[in-house]
Amino acid sequence: MTNYLYGANVQANGIRQHYLRYGGQGLPLILIPGITSPAVTWGFVAERLGQHFDVYVLDVRGRGLSEASPTLDYSLDAQAADIAALADVLGLAHYAVLGHSMGGRIAIRMARRFKPQGLERLVIVDPPVSGPGRRPYPSGLPWYVDSTRQSLRGMSAEDMRAFCPTWTEEQLRLRAEWLHTCDERAIVASYNSFHEDDIHQDLPHISLPTLLMVAGRGNVLLPEDIKEIQGLMPDVTVARVENAGHMIPWDDEEGFYQAFGYFLGAPV
């Protein structure tokens, strides 16, 4: 039995933002996916989280069914402002934010820049820690651009397997169906932001409870990166999912849920 409720579009921060809602009860939770992950690709996670929380999975600007255009601002600051505006438009008095990869960076910038009164908890899942003067993000831009361009012509699950060899047939099908909705301008701008925006400067200014979830088999966050984050956010809670790469719930779904513990107030 599904707990998917509906999809909707709202005008927030001057653009059309599309989201999918699951559950409808408990603490509201805004889920922000990564650089080429439309909201629908996180549906299987939202189904589980929706058993306990009121989940809103966002299509980040330039992805999925949210607004995209040649002139749209795809900066990290604009994306962060989207989340604050979305929570306001939805009338969320108290809520948590979960961001994966790029979504984690958006969540960090949003929490520091806007300090929303209703924001109670942050979950940051394997965020890129590249930035000015730091090592580059381990995945190269061509991986994203080449797969997206191929999806624009039409792409099968088998075609997608060349880019995501460990994924299941169902996961590959869904990505092949939806990847074409990711605007290349948005992808390039966000990828460049990984290297140009310094999220480390934001971390000491975030005082709310924060869970940092790390992929045990990933190379996005190294031990020294985790130590640096702990130095900047002494109260951060760190959870490792040992048997997962960067796309944690795709690699070890149960491990992903277990890593939450009671951080959100109830086990997932």
Side-chain angles (χ1 to χ4, degrees), residues 17-199:
Q17 297 193 48
H18 175 260
Y19 66 88
L20 303 174
R21 190 178 183 189
Y22 293 77
Q25 296 182 336
L27 177 70
L29 175 64
I30 298 176
L31 196 162
I32 315 170
I35 188 168
T36 54
S37 294
V40 67
T41 64
W42 277 80
F44 72 105
V45 174
E47 286 275 4
R48 175 70 169 261
L49 295 176
Q51 295 175 17
H52 309 278
F53 309 106
D54 185 10
V55 183
Y56 299 81
V57 191
L58 178 65
D59 272 327
V60 178
R61 57 170 61 203
R63 286 89 175 169
L65 301 182
S66 285
E67 190 166 328
S69 81
T71 58
L72 199 60
D73 180 1
Y74 291 116
S75 68
L76 179 61
D77 284 342
Q79 294 169 334
D82 286 347
I83 308 304
L86 177 68
D88 189 50
V89 167
L90 294 176
L92 305 181
H94 303 281
Y95 61 98
V97 169
L98 187 165
H100 171 252
S101 193
M102 176 192 76
R105 291 171 64 91
I106 295 171
I108 289 167
R109 180 57 54 88
M110 176 263 202
R112 188 267 168 99
R113 182 177 171 195
F114 294 96
K115 293 182 169 56
Q117 262 195 323
L119 179 58
E120 295 184 346
R121 292 179 180 270
L122 278 182
V123 180
I124 305 166
V125 182
D126 224 41
V129 289
S130 36
R134 296 175 178 272
R135 75 176 190 281
Y137 184 63
S139 295
L141 181 59
W143 186 89
Y144 299 100
V145 172
D146 292 351
S147 58
T148 304
R149 287 180 179 177
Q150 189 171 340
S151 74
L152 289 169
R153 300 192 300 268
M155 197 174 195
S156 68
E158 195 54 40
D159 294 332
M160 185 60 74
R161 195 181 304 278
F163 297 93
C164 307
T166 64
W167 287 24
T168 67
E169 186 76 12
E170 184 180 7
Q171 291 166 351
L172 293 168
R173 268 202 309 269
L174 193 59
R175 185 168 176 83
E177 178 187 2
W178 282 89
L179 183 58
H180 75 92
T181 67
C182 295
D183 189 288
E184 184 174 320
R185 292 160 296 210
I187 296 168
V188 172
S190 292
Y191 187 88
N192 289 339
S193 166
F194 290 174
H195 303 88
E196 296 166 358
D197 281 296
D198 180 11
I199 60 161

Side-chain angles (χ1 to χ4, degrees), residues 191-212:
Y191 187 88
N192 289 339
S193 166
F194 290 174
H195 303 88
E196 296 166 358
D197 281 296
D198 180 11
I199 60 161
H200 292 80
Q201 67 175 349
D202 298 329
L203 298 177
H205 301 276
I206 299 174
S207 56
L208 69 160
T210 302
L211 172 66
L212 175 67

